[in-house]
Amino acid sequence: MSNSDNNQAGEGIESRVRRVVSGTEAYDIHTHLYDPAFGELLLWGIDDLLTYHYLVAEAFRYFDFPYEDFWKLSKSEQADKIWDVLFLQHSPVSEACRGVLTTLQGLGLDVAGRDLGSIRAWMAEQDPAEYVSKCMEVAKVRKICMTNSPFDDLERPVWEKGFERDPRFVAALRIDPMLLDWENTHQQMAGWGYNVSATLDESTLSEVRRFLADWSDKMDAQFAMVSLPPTFAYPDDSPCGTLIEKAVLPHCRENGLPFALMPGVKRGVNPLLQMAGDGLAKFDIANYERLFSAHPDNKFAVTALSRENQHELCVAARKFRNLHIFGCWWFTNIPHVIDEMTRMRLELIGLSVTPQHSDARVMDQVIYKWSHSREVITRALIDKYSDLEKTGWVVSDAELERDVKDLFGGAFETFCAR
Ligand SMILES: [Zn+2]
């Protein structure tokens, strides 16, 4: 081995990056998982893995029966159909299918036998609380951020009643119904004792602020968040624009909370697919540039759904230090695009980024989402540090550990604390 691919201990950069990335526990900054205290809201196990909406959409490519026949089935009957068509009748090469196999393998199960019955039998014996710990351990995830909506009728009562928090699960206050459907949401909020009307006058806005303060406190929210349609405009005097400008951003500013934006989703492109029926479209970055520019004292965390928006979003992050980019979300969460996005981000904005979040909806999914992404991020980092070594700059183990910790949630924690 030449000097250039060795550190002091004689270990090459490739092996060192692999060791550090595989040994660094992640803070998963956006998921749809729940603190175990939420009981059945936390999904886990083989039937939830197989009926994940990514797989439902893929299965319908092959199904030849009416949509409604599928939705009439029980969850395990749906899982049977998906297993049959996506794993037995065709090889499971798609990312979401491969993810199921990586997950089962990570849990120590044999997938070669293609025996769904024995997988189900094993799952039925698991204790939910221990299962959460096992998944986090295998995935090397130290902390999980949930997505928490006061507008969710199943979730809200749990918060209102109160419960002992699991310190591994932190909260994010999700406010889509308020920003995207004020006409209906204001009535719901009025029913909870907030003196709000359809008109966004001063007194209504101050009550919205009180609502945001109450729920941020109740949840100990790390940030507020919304998923925005590609048509989002700023500035804009719609209810959404007014609420963001006059309630959400002042609330976030005064409490030092980032506002996380997830733009690009087109809801219900095919409503017959239900939750699997959302699509995407490009957005116009100029709206976001105006938003970041007008609010230098607000912090924004953004992940974009469309591959076509990724480059300009990276460039925006070079212009606005109040913007933190995170994750490869949903349709971009495939190795080919994660690779492209991760390299582009490292090359344009260095280590001031969170390359991945899992977006897991089923507890077990953290295993594959992190395993697959760790592999892609490892390869990108090996190339970056190898390029540095060619100049004579050899990164030390301590520097490597610092950098990787930042990429796996540390940089985001610093951004939140700023
Ligand atoms: Zn999500």
Side-chain angles (χ1 to χ4, degrees):
M1 269 200 248
S2 72
N3 243 353
S4 66
D5 56 12
N6 278 300
N7 73 341
Q8 299 89 325
E11 186 186 9
I13 190 66
E14 174 162 350
S15 152
R16 294 171 60 216
V17 171
R18 286 197 181 282
R19 171 167 54 77
V20 172
V21 172
S22 66
T24 302
E25 292 195 305
Y27 167 23
D28 195 342
I29 72 165
H30 172 61
T31 74
H32 298 268
L33 302 174
Y34 288 95
D35 184 311
F38 284 83
E40 290 189 354
L41 284 182
L42 172 61
L43 304 180
W44 64 277
I46 187 65
D47 287 343
D48 283 309
L49 283 173
L50 287 172
T51 53
Y52 187 33
H53 64 89
Y54 293 26
L55 292 175
V56 170
E58 290 170 29
F60 266 105
R61 308 263 325 137
Y62 299 116
F63 287 160
D64 57 2
F65 49 81
Y67 290 96
E68 60 270 25
D69 289 2
F70 179 79
W71 298 117
K72 275 193 293 224
L73 301 173
S74 70
K75 190 194 284 179
S76 63
E77 288 169 339
Q78 290 178 350
D80 285 342
K81 291 259 183 244
I82 290 173
W83 175 258
D84 181 59
V85 79
L86 291 183
F87 292 79
L88 302 182
Q89 292 186 35
H90 306 87
S91 291
V93 298
S94 79
E95 174 64 3
C97 286
R98 173 189 165 223
V100 173
L101 302 182
T102 302
T103 300
L104 297 174
Q105 183 189 41
L107 290 166
L109 294 163
D110 168 51
V111 298
R114 294 158 167 72
D115 183 359
L116 183 55
S118 72
I119 294 167
R120 277 209 179 102
W122 181 85
M123 295 268 179
E125 286 169 10
Q126 306 307 308
D127 170 73
E130 284 168 27
Y131 200 74
V132 168
S133 300
K134 186 180 176 80
C135 291
M136 291 182 74
E137 203 175 295
V138 175
K140 285 232 159 65
V141 169
R142 65 182 161 91
K143 183 163 85 171
I144 286 173
C145 192
M146 308 177 271
T147 297
N148 303 103
S149 174
F151 305 99
D152 183 308
D153 290 335
L154 297 174
E155 183 174 344
R156 190 179 58 257
V158 182
W159 289 109
E160 283 172 338
K161 191 164 163 244
F163 58 95
E164 194 180 331
R165 297 286 294 264
D166 181 327
R168 297 171 299 179
F169 288 78
V170 295
L173 174 60
R174 179 106 179 210
I175 51 175
D176 297 32
M178 187 172 98
L179 295 182
L180 304 176
D181 186 20
W182 179 245
E183 205 163 288
N184 290 306
T185 306
H186 86 270
Q187 292 167 6
Q188 207 175 2
M189 286 171 60
W192 299 331
Y194 294 91
N195 189 18
V196 292
S197 62
T199 315
L200 290 163
D201 52 23
E202 283 308 313
S203 79
T204 288
L205 287 165
S206 124
E207 282 293 275
V208 172
R209 291 284 306 272
R210 185 166 72 86
F211 174 84
L212 293 170
D214 287 350
W215 279 95
S216 297
D217 279 356
K218 208 186 287 287
M219 293 172 171
D220 187 22
Q222 308 297 298
F223 51 92
M225 66 184 310
V226 64
S227 175
L228 291 167
T231 49
F232 171 77
Y234 182 87
D236 176 30
D237 60 7
S238 69
C240 177
T242 307
L243 284 161
I244 287 177
E245 183 77 19
K246 298 190 171 161
V248 178
L249 291 177
H251 168 75
C252 288
R253 208 156 49 228
E254 282 169 30
N255 294 281
L257 300 177
F259 186 29
L261 306 168
M262 303 180 75
V265 62
K266 254 170 86 178
R267 298 285 178 206
V269 167
N270 181 0
L272 295 170
L273 280 172
Q274 299 193 5
M275 200 186 193
D278 296 345
L280 65 75
K282 269 192 71 173
F283 56 81
D284 178 358
I285 191 78
N287 293 289
Y288 292 87
E289 291 167 346
R290 288 191 287 268
L291 180 69
F292 307 145
S293 173
H295 301 284
D297 297 331
N298 272 100
K299 297 181 279 192
F300 299 91
V302 178
T303 190
L305 190 52
S306 168
R307 180 188 182 189
E308 285 68 28
N309 280 122
Q310 302 304 331
H311 186 242
E312 54 201 9
L313 184 62
C314 261
V315 173
R318 294 177 65 89
K319 308 299 135 190
F320 299 103
R321 62 180 180 165
N322 58 339
L323 167 60
H324 186 91
I325 295 181
F326 71 97
C328 299
W329 175 29
W330 200 345
F331 308 118
T332 63
N333 195 23
I334 52 174
H336 168 81
V337 178
I338 299 168
D339 183 67
E340 170 185 285
M341 283 170 61
T342 301
R343 288 170 190 271
M344 182 166 67
R345 288 161 164 185
L346 291 172
E347 289 166 13
L348 277 170
I349 52 175
L351 299 160
S352 63
V353 62
T354 302
Q356 196 54 296
H357 66 272
S358 76
D359 227 312
R361 280 181 186 272
V362 183
M363 189 66 228
D364 328 37
Q365 289 172 338
V366 293
I367 295 174
Y368 95 78
K369 302 247 188 185
W370 283 103
S371 156
H372 292 186
S373 284
R374 273 180 207 274
E375 180 56 32
V376 178
I377 294 167
T378 296
R379 285 199 303 264
L381 286 175
I382 289 168
D383 286 351
K384 293 299 129 198
Y385 290 118
S386 299
D387 288 346
L388 293 184
E389 285 199 351
K390 287 177 195 151
T391 74
W393 183 282
V394 181
V395 71
S396 72
D397 264 11
E399 288 167 335
L400 193 51
E401 283 161 16
R402 172 201 62 196
D403 294 352
V404 173
K405 187 169 180 283
D406 276 346
L407 291 175
F408 284 81
F412 185 69
E413 285 172 319
T414 306
F415 181 74
C416 289
R418 197 155 86 188

